[in-house]
Amino acid sequence: MDKRRILIQIDADAHASVFDRVVAVDAGAEQLFSYAGVKPEQVQALVHGAIFTRGPKDLKHTAIFVGGSDVGAAEKLMHEALKHMLPNFGLRVSIMLDANGANTTAAAAVRAAARHLTLQGAPALVLGGTGPVGQRVARLLAREGSHVRVGSRQQARAAAVCRDIAARVPNALLQPVEVASDADLSAAITGQTLVIAAGAAGVVLLPKAARAACPTLKVAIELNAVPPVGIEGVGVMDKAVNQGGVLCYGAIGVGDTKMKVHKAAVAALFESNDKVLDAEEIYALAQQF
Ligand SMILES: NC(=O)c1ccc[n+]([C@@H]2O[C@H](COP(=O)([O-])OP(=O)(O)OC[C@H]3O[C@@H](n4cnc5c(N)ncnc54)[C@H](OP(=O)(O)O)[C@@H]3O)[C@@H](O)[C@H]2O)c1
């Protein structure tokens, strides 16, 4: 008889994410072991509990989900978890990172853009490009061969993100852009066919007039659901809504695909015991939607 599917949720927050727990159940996890407030030095024991209990042939029925609201903290937990797997002996379990929904949201946003544009060679501006979601959006676009402008209020922050992506993505076409004034914004959006806004909740990054003044723009994707939204005039529910020739997506419009991707990724963890699902692998799963 097949073993029950156990998902081990590792979360740095005081309370393990209810959102991630609900999705885990809906994605087919039969048992959910949730650990909150996890620190890197506590990960080894959790991983050992996962890999030393079932034999290698049954380890695909155990998996780890790393979540929580702090993406940086989750990345450290993921790194630590991978360190303590023993792949040479087949003693490993599949693992996925989706802290704050950053990977699944970025994957869904880039997938939405790809429905309407050839991303290879597309000039694309990522507003709020220094946050966890924006960085992943920029990275995925760079992997697709887009000419990516990474926007930030501070040039140095945008440049740091570009350096990080360039180190991961050979031949990435990246340009850091400071977007601290209306004139900066106008220069940053000029010639772009795609804009993805991944700014902080409740902050307008692209006013209507600036969007209207960009005749090359074809697709505008907004990821902030908290009013006011980042791309002024885009409805949170919008899904490829044509506004003056620009196809617009709002946060919930993208969220439908995000949820499908999140569930598909959790389900994929139980297909084998060697999956490591980060932004790129989750984006690959998004291609089916
Ligand atoms: N739809 C979904 O399912 C889903 C899931 C996760 C997240 N989200 C949304 O996606 C967006 C991005 O998430 P995140 O966690 O990456 O965001 P974040 O870290 O909170 O913010 C992203 C960037 O926004 C810029 N920013 C912050 N405050 C600003 C202000 N007052 N004015 C202008 N820019 C400001 C900052 O860039 P600089 O300081 O470099 O300018 C920051 O790095 C959020 O709106 C979040 O709510 C949606």
Side-chain angles (χ1 to χ4, degrees):
M1 197 182 77
D2 270 356
K3 301 275 189 202
R4 291 168 76 79
R5 287 186 296 277
I6 299 172
L7 189 66
I8 299 166
Q9 181 189 21
I10 298 180
D11 196 314
D13 290 353
H15 299 285
S17 161
V18 171
F19 180 98
D20 291 339
R21 299 188 71 186
V22 173
V23 180
V25 170
D26 287 351
E30 293 168 295
Q31 292 283 336
L32 188 56
F33 300 174
S34 296
Y35 297 91
V38 178
K39 298 191 169 39
E41 60 271 23
Q42 298 166 328
V43 170
Q44 179 175 13
L46 297 173
V47 170
H48 283 178
I51 65 175
F52 290 138
T53 37
R54 294 169 158 181
K57 81 172 173 37
D58 283 324
L59 281 179
K60 68 174 186 178
H61 302 299
T62 305
I64 296 176
F65 179 96
V66 185
S69 61
D70 182 338
V71 181
E75 283 174 330
K76 289 193 182 99
L77 297 179
M78 171 95 156
H79 176 75
E80 196 65 22
L82 288 169
K83 240 170 61 184
H84 298 296
M85 307 252 187
L86 299 169
N88 292 345
F89 303 101
L91 297 176
R92 63 185 298 172
V93 295
S94 288
I95 183 165
M96 158 178 181
L97 174 81
D98 197 32
N100 210 24
N103 278 333
T104 49
T105 302
V110 176
R111 178 74 194 106
R115 286 191 198 112
H116 310 289
L117 294 171
T118 301
L119 295 179
Q120 172 82 34
L125 170 65
V126 184
L127 292 169
T130 57
V133 176
Q135 287 185 44
R136 284 166 171 77
V137 166
R139 190 165 119 200
L140 295 175
L141 287 171
R143 283 205 193 275
E144 289 283 25
S146 305
H147 291 252
V148 188
R149 285 183 178 166
V150 176
S152 166
R153 290 169 296 176
Q154 292 175 48
Q155 175 79 16
R157 280 170 56 76
V161 170
C162 291
R163 278 195 300 276
D164 181 54
I165 297 172
R168 293 164 179 261
V169 183
N171 306 318
L173 299 166
L174 298 155
Q175 183 187 356
V177 288
E178 181 168 299
V179 185
S181 67
D182 290 348
D184 291 340
L185 179 60
S186 167
I189 201 169
T190 295
Q192 306 302 289
T193 54
L194 169 65
V195 62
I196 298 183
V203 177
V204 177
L205 296 180
L206 182 59
K208 234 179 193 168
R211 175 158 53 104
C214 179
T216 53
L217 195 61
K218 299 276 175 263
V219 178
I221 298 175
E222 163 58 32
L223 297 175
N224 154 38
V226 179
V229 298
I231 302 181
E232 195 184 12
V234 172
V236 284
M237 310 292 287
D238 284 0
K239 200 170 176 180
V241 170
N242 191 325
Q243 288 197 25
V246 180
L247 295 174
C248 297
Y249 282 80
I252 297 177
V254 174
D256 177 39
T257 303
K258 180 239 177 308
M259 291 306 297
K260 288 181 184 154
V261 174
H262 189 154
K263 282 185 216 160
V266 173
L269 292 173
F270 297 109
E271 289 168 3
S272 65
N273 70 331
D274 59 354
K275 291 195 159 59
V276 179
L277 304 185
D278 205 334
E280 285 76 6
E281 296 78 15
I282 290 173
Y283 179 61
L285 287 168
Q287 302 311 304
Q288 65 189 290
F289 302 112

